[in-house]
Amino acid sequence: MDKKKIFITYNIPEAGIKLLLKKGYDVEVYSGKKLISKSELIKKVKNADGIITLLTDKIDKQVIDAMQRCKVIANYAAGYNNIDIEYAKAKGIIVTNTPDVLTDSTADLTMSLVLACMRQFNEGEKLMRSNKFQGWRPKLLLGYELKNKIFGILGMGRIGFAVAKRAYAFGCKIIYYSSKRHTDAEQLLKAKRVSLHTLVRESDIISLHVPLMEKTKKLLNKKLLSQMKNTSVLINTARGEVIDEEYLISLLKKKKIFAAGFDVYENEPKVNPELLKLENVVLLPHLGSATHEARNAMSELAAKNIIAVLSGRKSLTPVN
Ligand code: GLV
Ligand code: GLV
C-alpha cells in the first residue's frame, strides 16, 4: 500500500512532525522561506491525505476543491476563521483546531497586555532607551492598579475563563458577556453575567475572547466603544476584525479611553499607521500562543488529529 501523504504548510515545531513520521506517513513540510502562496498551496494539497495549516493560510472553496483525497485539515491554531469549514464538511473533510493547549499561554499574554497598558510599560521603556530618565519622581508615568477594578470578559470560553482566573487573583471583580452561562466562573470567581451594553459601560478593563464569525464581526462597534469609561483599558488577543478598529483608534487619539493592548489587527499583518503614532497603545505581533509549551503541544495535537482521522478514529478536537 502507498504511504499516506501529509502536507504541512510551514515548518512548525517538530514534535508533531516526529509523531507523523513515526506512524510511517510520508510527510512533506513546505520549504519556502515565506508563507506558501495560494497557487503553490493548490498544487501541494492535491495528493495529500491530511494537511496541517496555519491561521494565515486561507483555505477557501478553491483550495478545498483542489484536494483530491484529503480527509483531514488540522489547523495549527485555536481559531479557524481562515477555513471554509462548511464547505470542507460538505466535501467530507474533517477540520480540527488546537484548543486547550494554548489557553494558558494566551491568558498569560493577555494579562501581560493588561498590566503593560495599566502601568504604561511602553512609555517607561521608551524613556529608558532614549536616556531621558532623570530619577524617581512623584508623578512619573502614573497608571492604575488592578485591585477592585471591574474586569469585563467578552466571551467566556476556555481562554476567557483562564484570563478571568488570573484577573480574580489580582483582586478584580469579574463580569462577563457570553452566549452561554459559565457556572464555574460564577461559583469560583463570583463572576456576573451581564449584557454587552452593561459590560462595556461598567468595565475598567475589557478583554476580548470571542472567535471570529459572521456574528462577531465588528461586535464592538462605534456605539458600544463610545460608551467605555475614560479610564478604561481594552485588550484584544482574539481577532482584529471583532472591533471597529478605526473608531477605536479615533477614541485613543482623543484620549477617550486610557489605553489599548493589541495582539491582533484588522488587516493583519498590515497595521494601521495611525496606531503606530499613538502613545496609549501596546502593540504585539500576534503572540498569544507563542510559548515553547503551547507551540509544541499544538504541533502534537495537530498531528494526533491527523493520525486519528486517517486511522478511522474520531478526531480529538473537530470543529465541523
Ligand atoms: C491564534 O490566534 C489561534 O487562534 O490559535
Ligand atoms: C479557545 O480555545 C477558547 O475556547 O477560548
mmCIF file of all heavy atoms in Angstrom, residues 80-100:
data_model
loop_
_atom_site.group_PDB
_atom_site.id
_atom_site.type_symbol
_atom_site.label_atom_id
_atom_site.label_comp_id
_atom_site.label_asym_id
_atom_site.label_seq_id
_atom_site.Cartn_x
_atom_site.Cartn_y
_atom_site.Cartn_z
ATOM 1 N N TYR A 80 -10.321 29.246 13.685
ATOM 2 C CA TYR A 80 -10.342 28.568 12.378
ATOM 3 C C TYR A 80 -11.145 29.369 11.356
ATOM 4 O O TYR A 80 -11.692 28.822 10.404
ATOM 5 C CB TYR A 80 -10.873 27.135 12.507
ATOM 6 C CG TYR A 80 -12.100 27.011 13.375
ATOM 7 C CD1 TYR A 80 -13.364 27.201 12.833
ATOM 8 C CD2 TYR A 80 -11.988 26.736 14.741
ATOM 9 C CE1 TYR A 80 -14.494 27.122 13.645
ATOM 10 C CE2 TYR A 80 -13.103 26.657 15.557
ATOM 11 C CZ TYR A 80 -14.355 26.847 15.005
ATOM 12 O OH TYR A 80 -15.457 26.778 15.794
ATOM 13 N N ASN A 81 -11.162 30.690 11.569
ATOM 14 C CA ASN A 81 -11.865 31.565 10.640
ATOM 15 C C ASN A 81 -11.188 31.634 9.270
ATOM 16 O O ASN A 81 -11.754 32.166 8.325
ATOM 17 C CB ASN A 81 -11.990 32.976 11.240
ATOM 18 C CG ASN A 81 -10.651 33.507 11.710
ATOM 19 O OD1 ASN A 81 -10.124 33.072 12.733
ATOM 20 N ND2 ASN A 81 -10.081 34.414 10.954
ATOM 21 N N ASN A 82 -9.983 31.067 9.157
ATOM 22 C CA ASN A 82 -9.285 31.035 7.867
ATOM 23 C C ASN A 82 -9.767 29.894 6.970
ATOM 24 O O ASN A 82 -9.355 29.790 5.815
ATOM 25 C CB ASN A 82 -7.771 30.870 8.105
ATOM 26 C CG ASN A 82 -7.418 29.644 8.946
ATOM 27 O OD1 ASN A 82 -7.983 29.427 10.019
ATOM 28 N ND2 ASN A 82 -6.524 28.815 8.454
ATOM 29 N N ILE A 83 -10.619 29.024 7.501
ATOM 30 C CA ILE A 83 -11.049 27.841 6.736
ATOM 31 C C ILE A 83 -12.551 27.881 6.491
ATOM 32 O O ILE A 83 -13.328 28.204 7.398
ATOM 33 C CB ILE A 83 -10.692 26.545 7.511
ATOM 34 C CG1 ILE A 83 -9.189 26.509 7.805
ATOM 35 C CG2 ILE A 83 -11.117 25.303 6.722
ATOM 36 C CD1 ILE A 83 -8.742 25.282 8.589
ATOM 37 N N ASP A 84 -12.964 27.550 5.287
ATOM 38 C CA ASP A 84 -14.390 27.418 4.995
ATOM 39 C C ASP A 84 -14.832 26.043 5.512
ATOM 40 O O ASP A 84 -14.821 25.043 4.785
ATOM 41 C CB ASP A 84 -14.616 27.542 3.485
ATOM 42 C CG ASP A 84 -16.098 27.626 3.129
ATOM 43 O OD1 ASP A 84 -16.935 27.128 3.919
ATOM 44 O OD2 ASP A 84 -16.415 28.165 2.064
ATOM 45 N N ILE A 85 -15.205 25.992 6.796
ATOM 46 C CA ILE A 85 -15.450 24.687 7.426
ATOM 47 C C ILE A 85 -16.739 24.026 6.921
ATOM 48 O O ILE A 85 -16.839 22.809 6.890
ATOM 49 C CB ILE A 85 -15.457 24.761 8.980
ATOM 50 C CG1 ILE A 85 -16.564 25.672 9.507
ATOM 51 C CG2 ILE A 85 -14.113 25.190 9.533
ATOM 52 C CD1 ILE A 85 -16.795 25.515 11.006
ATOM 53 N N GLU A 86 -17.693 24.828 6.508
ATOM 54 C CA GLU A 86 -18.940 24.252 5.982
ATOM 55 C C GLU A 86 -18.679 23.548 4.661
ATOM 56 O O GLU A 86 -19.172 22.447 4.410
ATOM 57 C CB GLU A 86 -20.011 25.339 5.804
ATOM 58 C CG GLU A 86 -20.556 25.908 7.112
ATOM 59 C CD GLU A 86 -21.069 24.828 8.064
ATOM 60 O OE1 GLU A 86 -21.657 23.837 7.585
ATOM 61 O OE2 GLU A 86 -20.852 24.968 9.286
ATOM 62 N N TYR A 87 -17.890 24.216 3.825
ATOM 63 C CA TYR A 87 -17.589 23.633 2.516
ATOM 64 C C TYR A 87 -16.749 22.361 2.679
ATOM 65 O O TYR A 87 -16.984 21.355 1.997
ATOM 66 C CB TYR A 87 -16.874 24.661 1.634
ATOM 67 C CG TYR A 87 -16.841 24.255 0.179
ATOM 68 C CD1 TYR A 87 -18.019 24.186 -0.559
ATOM 69 C CD2 TYR A 87 -15.639 23.923 -0.448
ATOM 70 C CE1 TYR A 87 -17.999 23.795 -1.894
ATOM 71 C CE2 TYR A 87 -15.616 23.535 -1.780
ATOM 72 C CZ TYR A 87 -16.799 23.479 -2.499
ATOM 73 O OH TYR A 87 -16.774 23.089 -3.813
ATOM 74 N N ALA A 88 -15.802 22.413 3.615
ATOM 75 C CA ALA A 88 -14.984 21.224 3.881
ATOM 76 C C ALA A 88 -15.888 20.070 4.312
ATOM 77 O O ALA A 88 -15.759 18.933 3.855
ATOM 78 C CB ALA A 88 -13.940 21.526 4.954
ATOM 79 N N LYS A 89 -16.833 20.381 5.183
ATOM 80 C CA LYS A 89 -17.751 19.359 5.682
ATOM 81 C C LYS A 89 -18.559 18.753 4.532
ATOM 82 O O LYS A 89 -18.721 17.531 4.439
ATOM 83 C CB LYS A 89 -18.687 19.993 6.711
ATOM 84 C CG LYS A 89 -19.574 18.991 7.413
ATOM 85 C CD LYS A 89 -20.406 19.669 8.486
ATOM 86 C CE LYS A 89 -21.354 18.666 9.126
ATOM 87 N NZ LYS A 89 -22.145 19.293 10.193
ATOM 88 N N ALA A 90 -19.046 19.610 3.667
ATOM 89 C CA ALA A 90 -19.818 19.144 2.518
ATOM 90 C C ALA A 90 -18.990 18.199 1.649
ATOM 91 O O ALA A 90 -19.521 17.312 0.988
ATOM 92 C CB ALA A 90 -20.314 20.338 1.709
ATOM 93 N N LYS A 91 -17.679 18.396 1.666
ATOM 94 C CA LYS A 91 -16.780 17.546 0.871
ATOM 95 C C LYS A 91 -16.289 16.346 1.675
ATOM 96 O O LYS A 91 -15.399 15.611 1.246
ATOM 97 C CB LYS A 91 -15.568 18.375 0.440
ATOM 98 C CG LYS A 91 -15.899 19.476 -0.539
ATOM 99 C CD LYS A 91 -15.631 18.981 -1.933
ATOM 100 C CE LYS A 91 -16.220 19.899 -2.983
ATOM 101 N NZ LYS A 91 -15.826 19.482 -4.322
ATOM 102 N N GLY A 92 -16.806 16.197 2.889
ATOM 103 C CA GLY A 92 -16.416 15.057 3.726
ATOM 104 C C GLY A 92 -15.049 15.205 4.381
ATOM 105 O O GLY A 92 -14.426 14.215 4.754
ATOM 106 N N ILE A 93 -14.579 16.427 4.495
ATOM 107 C CA ILE A 93 -13.263 16.654 5.118
ATOM 108 C C ILE A 93 -13.452 17.172 6.544
ATOM 109 O O ILE A 93 -14.169 18.136 6.781
ATOM 110 C CB ILE A 93 -12.436 17.684 4.314
ATOM 111 C CG1 ILE A 93 -12.230 17.187 2.872
ATOM 112 C CG2 ILE A 93 -11.094 17.964 4.995
ATOM 113 C CD1 ILE A 93 -11.612 18.221 1.939
ATOM 114 N N ILE A 94 -12.779 16.484 7.485
ATOM 115 C CA ILE A 94 -12.840 16.914 8.885
ATOM 116 C C ILE A 94 -11.855 18.054 9.099
ATOM 117 O O ILE A 94 -10.719 17.990 8.616
ATOM 118 C CB ILE A 94 -12.428 15.739 9.812
ATOM 119 C CG1 ILE A 94 -13.191 14.485 9.441
ATOM 120 C CG2 ILE A 94 -12.491 16.136 11.286
ATOM 121 C CD1 ILE A 94 -14.220 14.032 10.384
ATOM 122 N N VAL A 95 -12.290 19.068 9.803
ATOM 123 C CA VAL A 95 -11.386 20.166 10.171
ATOM 124 C C VAL A 95 -11.204 20.140 11.686
ATOM 125 O O VAL A 95 -12.174 19.964 12.432
ATOM 126 C CB VAL A 95 -11.952 21.540 9.734
ATOM 127 C CG1 VAL A 95 -11.016 22.668 10.161
ATOM 128 C CG2 VAL A 95 -12.185 21.582 8.225
ATOM 129 N N THR A 96 -9.954 20.259 12.124
ATOM 130 C CA THR A 96 -9.682 20.268 13.566
ATOM 131 C C THR A 96 -8.879 21.519 13.922
ATOM 132 O O THR A 96 -8.265 22.140 13.053
ATOM 133 C CB THR A 96 -8.884 19.019 14.004
ATOM 134 O OG1 THR A 96 -7.577 19.069 13.414
ATOM 135 C CG2 THR A 96 -9.576 17.732 13.584
ATOM 136 N N ASN A 97 -8.891 21.876 15.202
ATOM 137 C CA ASN A 97 -8.086 23.020 15.671
ATOM 138 C C ASN A 97 -7.242 22.579 16.869
ATOM 139 O O ASN A 97 -7.151 21.373 17.153
ATOM 140 C CB ASN A 97 -9.006 24.209 16.017
ATOM 141 C CG ASN A 97 -9.906 23.940 17.215
ATOM 142 O OD1 ASN A 97 -10.134 22.789 17.595
ATOM 143 N ND2 ASN A 97 -10.413 24.991 17.811
ATOM 144 N N THR A 98 -6.623 23.530 17.550
ATOM 145 C CA THR A 98 -5.781 23.177 18.704
ATOM 146 C C THR A 98 -6.198 23.974 19.945
ATOM 147 O O THR A 98 -5.459 24.829 20.418
ATOM 148 C CB THR A 98 -4.286 23.447 18.418
ATOM 149 O OG1 THR A 98 -4.131 24.851 18.093
ATOM 150 C CG2 THR A 98 -3.758 22.616 17.270
ATOM 151 N N PRO A 99 -7.381 23.705 20.467
ATOM 152 C CA PRO A 99 -7.813 24.409 21.678
ATOM 153 C C PRO A 99 -7.101 23.842 22.904
ATOM 154 O O PRO A 99 -6.300 22.907 22.774
ATOM 155 C CB PRO A 99 -9.308 24.094 21.739
ATOM 156 C CG PRO A 99 -9.417 22.745 21.104
ATOM 157 C CD PRO A 99 -8.355 22.698 20.039
ATOM 158 N N ASP A 100 -7.394 24.376 24.048
ATOM 159 C CA ASP A 100 -6.869 23.922 25.352
ATOM 160 C C ASP A 100 -5.367 24.119 25.529
ATOM 161 O O ASP A 100 -4.944 24.768 26.468
ATOM 162 C CB ASP A 100 -7.177 22.430 25.619
ATOM 163 C CG ASP A 100 -8.673 22.173 25.636
ATOM 164 O OD1 ASP A 100 -9.407 23.029 26.150
ATOM 165 O OD2 ASP A 100 -9.114 21.136 25.128
#
